[in-house]
Amino acid sequence: MSNTENNTGLEAEEIIETEEHDHHEDEHECCCHDHHEHEHNDDEQECCHHDHKVHEHHEHHAHKHEHGHSHGHDHGHHHGDDEDEEGSRKIMILRLVASAALWLLARFRLNGSWQIATYALAYMIIGYDILSEAVEGLTSFSWTSEEFLMAVASITAFFIGEAEEAVMVMWLYQLGELLTDLAVDHSKDNIEALLVGVPDKVHWILDGEVIEVDTDRVREGMLLQVKPFEEVPVDGVIEEGSGTIDMSSINGESMPVSVEAGDEVISGSMNMSSLLVVKATKSLEDSTITKIRELVENCQMEKSRTESIVDRFTRFYTPTVIILAVALAALGPLVSSLTYDESIRMACTLLVISCPCALVISVPLAFFCGIGMASRKGVLVKGSEHLEALGQFDYLALDKTGTLTSGEFIVEEAESNMEQDDFIRLCASIERHSNHPLASSIVTRYGKDKEYDTVTDFSEVPGKGVRAVVNEKEYFLGSYGFASENCSRELEDLHKTAVYVVTADEVIGHLVFADEVKQDAREVLSKLKKDGVGRIEVLSGDRQEKVDEIRSIGEINDVFGNLMPEDKVEILRKARVMGFRTAFVGDGTNDAAVLSLADVGIAMGGKGTDTAIASSDVVVMNDSLTGLAAGREIARKTVAVVKQNLWFIVLCKLVFIILGIMGTIPMWAAVFADVGVTLIAVLNTLRLLK
């Protein structure tokens, strides 16, 4: 005990010293901003001056546009922090206004060399960053980037005497990019709003005093004070206090939950009533809220099958169109009546149309939005590939305990030669001294606030049962084997989950327990059947007779009991061989292998083991089957939006390409074929956030 106390004391001193050190560092860093301090040493001045330069350098480069289509399209928050981003957009608006004014001046007031010079100035104001990135693309042999295609098309327009149109092309392109960025950022802001945060500081109770420390300093065992309307910073257990907490941001549960001393609380949940003292059971990095953030923020690490197809398509499509454009420019006058000016114009128009911007943005964004909406419902999806699979499985296998059932036993049957109320009271009076889950169920059945019989002697045999003396009479409560060993009378083995109650020479009775089926099980399974899941099976390690009882739920095609982990894997493997797209729902360590094998492995996150959660593709945080149904519905809507976008984009591109080759549309219409279609697809995608 003394060693533990010494270690805790040393850790406390370390944390306090670190906090004080950080505080002094913050004061030192702020020295440059103290305008009332007149004396600075040279080192301080040099340090501050260097920091200022570094800040300026970052501001200058914060908004470099990265749009290489060969590796995706980057928008929004990747450009810098919110202030820099807002400043960059204001500058872009000024550039749009200035170039538009110069274009109007050249178009209606000037002519000759002055007109060309003014068009060139307007072009450079609106397009200098695109030209810069086009040069980078040229030197790095990235000739399929959007910037390179736009630069080639617009510069060529200048050389064939279409300076007016060259400026218009670049102006419309930049306007479209601005609007698209705004739409994408709106989506990302909605996603980020779904991820609740935790406070930067926590109130640590140390030796009776409350100390404010950084949340990432919290360690297991520390006592934390959580005030009303503060978020619980880390996972823990309530030591003192009672009240209600709002867990809607974590598991989608809309109703506040009542808690008291001994109850577990999850990081990110909101204390809605009185002061609570919480004992931390995990550090911040291991807590639920951190895992949620990591899952959602990294949701794009794995590509869906649809995204992979789009990537392969764009790698083939863009070079093909470039070759076609070059052939049109070079060979058009040789095989037709076109002039070189006309054929080059048509080739430039084709290059602008060919940009696969809409595909590269809208498909990943749709999956990102879908994952965000699923997380709002308490369903965490670890990647777009898994979201797609969640909407497409047609074979569902479920574990029984903790998945279809609550995992909490209730007293289903009580038989005795005593009056039933007296029998339940006797059992509860004895079992309230035990920590066994069945003992807790007996006490719950009787009622925690009622009067109990006096127990004068109590002992427990782990894994077998308990012995107690009540009213000078010795009782034995436990398994069939334990009761038989301590009673001279013969007992009937019920072959059920039961507690037998005997004395040395009398059989008093028994209690039969049932693992309660979740209330939403029947409704959810029925909905899934209607939603395209052709086969539903239960795979359980429980006794076959217990698993057979689950058939009463309905909608279940078959049940299997007495299964080892390898048996579950074999059944699922056979389903895959038969052509089913499989899903498995479980919560135990023994489910890890089958969760990994399934096309989409779904873990119950509330009571699920860390191994099961780590092995899964989807985590249902509130342990509710309704969450599974909600996640599947969101997945199907997401895939539907992706398909809508794909059809719309491809058809528009084809129409504009044909019109471009025929020479019947101006270049500004080609810009709409790229930027306008992109924006429409993005806006259609944002419907997922409603």
Side-chain angles (χ1 to χ4, degrees):
M1 183 69 182
S2 59
N3 287 339
T4 304
E5 288 175 353
N6 287 338
N7 290 338
T8 305
L10 287 171
E11 190 172 285
E13 286 180 14
E14 266 182 36
I15 292 173
I16 293 170
E17 284 177 7
T18 307
E19 288 289 319
E20 290 176 350
H21 176 70
D22 289 348
H23 177 67
H24 290 311
E25 278 192 342
D26 290 341
E27 287 181 343
H28 175 71
E29 286 174 4
C30 292
C31 71
C32 301
H33 302 287
D34 189 350
H35 299 291
H36 298 288
E37 186 66 55
H38 297 290
E39 294 181 6
H40 296 285
N41 63 43
D42 293 339
D43 292 338
E44 285 175 334
Q45 289 177 348
E46 187 178 339
C47 170
C48 295
H49 181 64
H50 172 72
D51 287 345
H52 181 63
K53 282 188 174 181
V54 170
H55 177 68
E56 284 184 342
H57 176 77
H58 283 305
E59 274 192 342
H60 180 71
H61 291 283
H63 292 277
K64 183 179 178 182
H65 225 64
E66 297 178 0
H67 279 77
H69 282 295
S70 59
H71 50 75
H73 211 94
D74 233 354
H75 281 277
H77 298 291
H78 296 287
H79 296 291
D81 59 30
D82 291 339
E83 291 181 3
D84 286 346
E85 190 174 337
E86 187 63 29
S88 176
R89 284 181 180 152
K90 288 179 180 177
I91 292 172
M92 176 54 72
I93 291 171
L94 290 174
R95 288 170 63 190
L96 288 167
V97 171
S99 60
L102 289 171
W103 185 88
L104 290 170
L105 176 64
R107 176 70 176 79
F108 296 106
R109 294 293 182 183
L110 301 176
N111 51 50
S113 58
W114 280 106
Q115 185 183 52
I116 298 298
T118 306
Y119 278 138
L121 179 60
Y123 179 83
M124 291 305 299
I125 289 174
I126 196 61
Y128 67 84
D129 51 343
I130 303 300
L131 295 176
S132 174
E133 291 184 37
V135 171
E136 287 184 17
L138 183 63
T139 56
S140 62
F141 299 99
S142 179
W143 300 343
T144 60
S145 71
E146 189 170 351
E147 290 77 21
F148 181 76
L149 296 176
M150 290 300 304
V152 169
S154 56
I155 290 173
T156 307
F158 256 106
F159 280 102
I160 62 174
E162 298 294 342
E164 174 185 347
E165 199 160 70
V167 177
M168 184 183 291
V169 164
M170 195 62 76
W171 193 90
L172 287 171
Y173 173 76
Q174 292 283 40
L175 175 64
E177 286 292 277
L178 176 64
L179 295 176
T180 302
D181 273 351
L182 288 170
V184 172
D185 278 356
H186 175 71
S187 168
K188 291 185 177 180
D189 289 340
N190 275 279
I191 298 294
E192 289 172 4
L194 303 179
L195 296 178
V196 295
V198 292
D200 295 328
K201 299 284 185 179
V202 296
H203 312 297
W204 178 24
I205 303 174
L206 180 65
D207 298 331
E209 294 186 14
V210 179
I211 303 171
E212 193 174 76
V213 297
D214 289 340
T215 307
D216 57 10
R217 309 281 189 200
V218 174
R219 297 293 178 267
E220 183 179 345
M222 292 172 62
L223 291 178
L224 309 174
Q225 187 184 79
V226 182
K227 298 177 181 179
F229 302 104
E230 283 186 347
E231 290 168 346
V232 178
V234 296
D235 294 356
V237 175
I238 296 177
E239 286 284 303
E240 299 176 20
S242 61
T244 57
I245 59 172
D246 180 2
M247 299 177 65
S248 58
S249 57
I250 300 297
N251 61 14
E253 176 58 58
S254 59
M255 295 295 292
V257 179
S258 298
V259 293
E260 58 186 18
D263 289 341
E264 294 182 358
V265 287
I266 298 175
S267 55
S269 52
M270 177 75 73
N271 178 15
M272 301 299 292
S273 53
S274 56
L275 186 72
L276 299 175
V277 176
V278 176
K279 183 177 182 180
T281 56
K282 293 181 181 178
S283 63
L284 177 62
E285 62 184 9
D286 295 325
S287 288
T288 301
I289 186 61
T290 303
K291 291 179 180 178
I292 292 175
R293 279 174 168 171
E294 289 173 353
L295 287 174
V296 178
E297 289 173 358
N298 297 328
C299 66
Q300 289 302 106
M301 294 300 289
E302 296 182 61
K303 289 187 180 241
S304 70
R305 188 173 61 87
T306 304
E307 285 179 281
S308 299
I309 292 171
V310 168
D311 281 351
R312 290 196 298 271
F313 172 74
T314 54
R315 284 199 297 269
F316 163 79
Y317 161 79
T318 305
T320 300
V321 175
I322 291 176
I323 293 170
L324 182 61
V326 172
L328 180 62
L331 304 177
L334 301 179
V335 298
S336 69
S337 59
L338 291 173
T339 65
Y340 272 105
D341 281 355
E342 291 171 335
S343 63
I344 292 173
R345 173 194 287 273
M346 291 167 60
C348 291
T349 303
L350 189 61
L351 285 175
V352 175
I353 296 170
S354 72
C355 297
C357 175
L359 287 173
V360 175
I361 293 178
S362 65
V363 174
L365 178 63
F367 284 108
F368 188 69
C369 292
I371 289 170
M373 285 306 295
S375 70
R376 192 175 186 177
K377 297 290 186 180
V379 181
L380 303 183
V381 185
K382 297 182 181 180
S384 52
E385 176 186 4
H386 308 308
L387 185 70
E388 193 170 17
L390 182 61
Q392 294 178 344
F393 69 84
D394 52 8
Y395 169 94
L396 176 65
L398 306 100
D399 183 34
K400 182 178 77 72
T401 306
T403 302
L404 276 174
T405 64
S406 64
E408 297 177 359
F409 289 93
I410 59 171
V411 178
E412 184 180 49
E413 176 187 329
E415 288 193 9
S416 173
N417 55 19
M418 300 171 59
E419 288 290 332
Q420 188 172 90
D421 289 346
D422 294 337
F423 177 59
I424 297 292
R425 174 173 173 163
L426 170 68
C427 295
S429 299
I430 296 171
E431 292 284 22
R432 73 189 182 116
H433 298 282
S434 171
N435 291 321
H436 194 279
L438 295 183
S440 176
S441 299
I442 295 171
V443 173
T444 300
R445 166 67 183 270
Y446 176 66
K448 295 181 180 180
D449 299 330
K450 293 184 178 180
E451 292 184 4
Y452 290 86
D453 295 329
T454 301
V455 177
T456 55
D457 191 9
F458 177 87
S459 61
E460 187 166 5
V461 181
K464 292 187 175 182
V466 299
R467 170 199 162 276
V469 176
V470 180
N471 297 329
E472 300 182 355
K473 192 171 183 178
E474 187 179 38
Y475 293 92
F476 300 89
L477 288 75
S479 65
Y480 172 77
F482 179 74
S484 298
E485 290 173 6
N486 291 282
C487 181
S488 59
R489 298 293 183 91
E490 185 177 349
L491 275 74
E492 178 188 359
D493 188 352
L494 300 173
H495 298 287
K496 295 181 178 180
T497 303
V499 168
Y500 300 85
V501 184
V502 300
T503 63
D505 54 9
E506 184 183 7
V507 177
I508 304 299
H510 62 258
L511 298 167
V512 176
F513 297 83
D515 189 2
E516 188 176 18
V517 174
K518 290 181 178 178
Q519 294 181 352
D520 57 354
R522 186 186 303 274
E523 180 183 350
V524 169
L525 295 185
S526 177
K527 178 177 174 56
L528 290 173
K529 270 295 182 81
K530 293 176 182 176
D531 205 25
V533 180
R535 189 164 186 83
I536 299 176
E537 296 179 346
V538 177
L539 312 182
S540 176
D542 208 345
R543 297 193 307 271
Q544 186 64 51
E545 56 267 24
K546 296 297 296 181
V547 182
D548 285 336
E549 296 173 4
I550 294 294
R551 291 182 186 272
S552 62
I553 296 176
E555 306 296 344
I556 297 174
N557 296 94
D558 209 346
V559 298
F560 299 89
N562 300 313
L563 297 179
M564 298 297 288
E566 56 269 27
D567 299 325
K568 295 182 179 181
V569 168
E570 188 58 31
I571 291 173
L572 203 74
R573 185 175 285 122
K574 288 179 180 177
R576 296 187 69 180
V577 170
M578 293 170 64
F580 285 108
R581 289 167 292 186
T582 60
F584 181 83
V585 188
D587 67 340
T589 301
N590 62 335
D591 293 326
V594 69
L595 282 167
S596 298
L597 175 66
D599 292 310
V600 55
I602 304 160
M604 292 296 175
K607 295 180 180 177
T609 64
D610 289 343
T611 305
I613 292 171
S615 303
S616 66
D617 307 311
V618 177
V619 183
V620 181
M621 292 304 298
N622 60 5
D623 284 354
S624 167
L625 289 171
T626 302
L628 169 61
R632 179 175 170 84
E633 183 178 356
I634 290 169
R636 291 174 73 85
K637 285 182 179 178
T638 301
V639 172
V641 166
V642 168
K643 288 179 178 177
Q644 290 168 13
N645 286 346
L646 287 175
W647 278 109
F648 172 70
I649 293 166
V650 171
L651 288 175
C652 283
K653 290 285 185 183
L654 286 175
V655 169
F656 278 99
I657 285 174
I658 293 170
L659 293 175
I661 292 174
M662 294 172 62
T664 57
I665 59 171
M667 195 176 293
W668 64 263
V671 175
F672 173 79
D674 178 37
V675 178
V677 169
T678 300
L679 188 58
I680 292 171
V682 167
L683 293 175
N684 183 50
T685 300
L686 294 184
R687 294 189 301 111
L688 289 169
L689 293 177
K690 291 183 180 179

